[in-house]
Amino acid sequence: AQKITQTQPGMFVQEKEAVTLDCTYDTSDPSYGLFWYKQPSSGEMIFLIYQGSYDQQNATEGRYSLNFQKARKSANLVISASQLGDSAMYFCAMREGMNSGGYQKVTFGTGTKLQVIP
Amino acid sequence: EAQVTQNPRYLITVTGKKLTVTCSQNMNHEYMSWYRQDPGLGLRQIYYSMNVEVTDKGDVPEGYKVSRKEKRNFPLILESPSPNQTSLYFCASSLLNRGGSGANVLTFGAGSRLTVL
């Protein structure tokens, strides 16, 4: 089974509208972290937001929020008031073993290409 | 400036010619890792290192070697490159706080685009 699944290869959103990018994950590790990264066409990886498995509240960072539903194993990224500069590839990632003395593997999803329409 | 530096940024080589992609970070991070990015596959972890002399395989380690002799450096070695290793490679590092701390955010290098003919 895929550890991180992003089912939307591409999405369009109107400027100033909100958009939700889906991410589901699979792990038996009780201690893990979920991340979202943005990759613009220039290629760099930009960290957006983080959610720990034990965090009670959904993470927020400016216009980004993470809708964390632990029982459903989903960690959707919500971008409010989309801007043209939000057009990019978005990756969901999971880091396992956060509390262990052993490995800390990181798994990325296949990404969602978001295009913001003026 | 806190950063992860990869070199070379672009490289075209031929099958079988050994090459090394260097990665260096100036943030005193314990954790370092390598990824390859291919269209439709996202980023896949090749190797990671929890600290000096501690490395482990990621999901796609075949054909690659790494070493961690110093905390700041984590080179990726392709002993005998093949065309299926043509890809965009990223090095990333982070602190290694336990207990679910958000400080485990990965900082990425700018990427190295490798073409093997």
Side-chain angles (χ1 to χ4, degrees):
Chain A
Q2 292 290 325
K3 286 206 168 190
I4 294 283
T5 302
Q6 294 182 254
T7 57
Q8 306 151 314
M11 289 188 72
F12 291 92
V13 64
Q14 204 77 35
E15 194 178 6
K16 299 179 186 174
E17 297 291 311
V19 63
T20 298
L21 307 184
D22 294 341
C23 173
T24 58
Y25 62 93
D26 184 29
T27 182
S28 57
D29 192 332
S31 179
Y32 54 90
L34 297 158
F35 304 79
W36 278 91
Y37 284 86
K38 173 184 178 181
Q39 186 180 44
S41 57
S42 50
E44 70 267 31
M45 295 291 287
I46 302 167
F47 165 71
L48 296 177
I49 197 166
Y50 164 82
Q51 180 86 40
S53 59
Y54 296 119
D55 293 343
Q56 295 295 313
Q57 293 191 319
N58 287 346
T60 60
E61 291 283 349
R63 293 186 299 112
Y64 304 108
S65 60
L66 200 153
N67 184 0
F68 181 46
Q69 298 190 39
K70 195 169 182 177
R72 296 180 60 186
K73 294 189 174 179
S74 74
N76 298 340
L77 176 70
V78 180
I79 306 174
S80 62
S82 297
Q83 302 172 354
L84 295 178
D86 293 334
S87 293
M89 196 76 166
Y90 289 82
F91 291 100
C92 179
M94 175 173 64
R95 185 165 185 161
E96 297 173 280
M98 300 276 276
N99 256 342
S100 73
Y103 73 97
Q104 283 202 12
K105 289 181 72 172
V106 180
T107 308
F108 282 80
T110 52
T112 296
K113 185 171 184 178
L114 178 66
Q115 296 186 67
V116 180
I117 307 165
Chain B
E1 181 190 352
Q3 60 185 357
V4 177
T5 304
Q6 297 179 226
N7 281 297
R9 294 288 314 283
Y10 302 92
L11 179 64
I12 301 175
T13 188
V14 295
T15 299
K17 186 175 181 182
K18 180 179 178 180
L19 68 92
T20 298
V21 186
T22 63
C23 174
S24 181
Q25 50 91 7
N26 62 0
M27 297 165 281
N28 202 35
H29 284 169
E30 296 92 343
Y31 187 94
M32 297 187 74
S33 53
W34 277 102
Y35 305 84
R36 60 177 290 174
Q37 182 179 7
D38 302 291
L41 297 178
L43 282 80
R44 293 177 292 169
Q45 194 174 48
I46 302 170
Y47 271 96
Y48 63 96
S49 170
M50 303 281 279
N51 215 325
V52 175
E53 302 292 2
V54 181
T55 62
D56 205 350
K57 297 176 181 179
D59 292 321
V60 288
E62 295 79 17
Y64 306 95
K65 284 176 58 177
V66 293
S67 68
R68 187 94 181 271
K69 294 183 171 59
E70 303 167 284
K71 195 172 186 178
R72 64 182 293 128
N73 296 324
F74 191 45
L76 180 69
I77 303 157
L78 286 74
E79 293 269 3
S80 182
S82 62
N84 64 12
Q85 293 179 297
T86 293
S87 188
L88 176 61
Y89 291 87
F90 285 101
C91 179
S93 71
S94 77
L95 292 170
L96 200 59
N97 293 328
R98 306 199 185 277
S101 165
N104 288 353
V105 173
L106 287 168
T107 300
F108 280 82
S112 297
R113 187 166 292 280
L114 171 65
T115 301
V116 183
L117 301 176

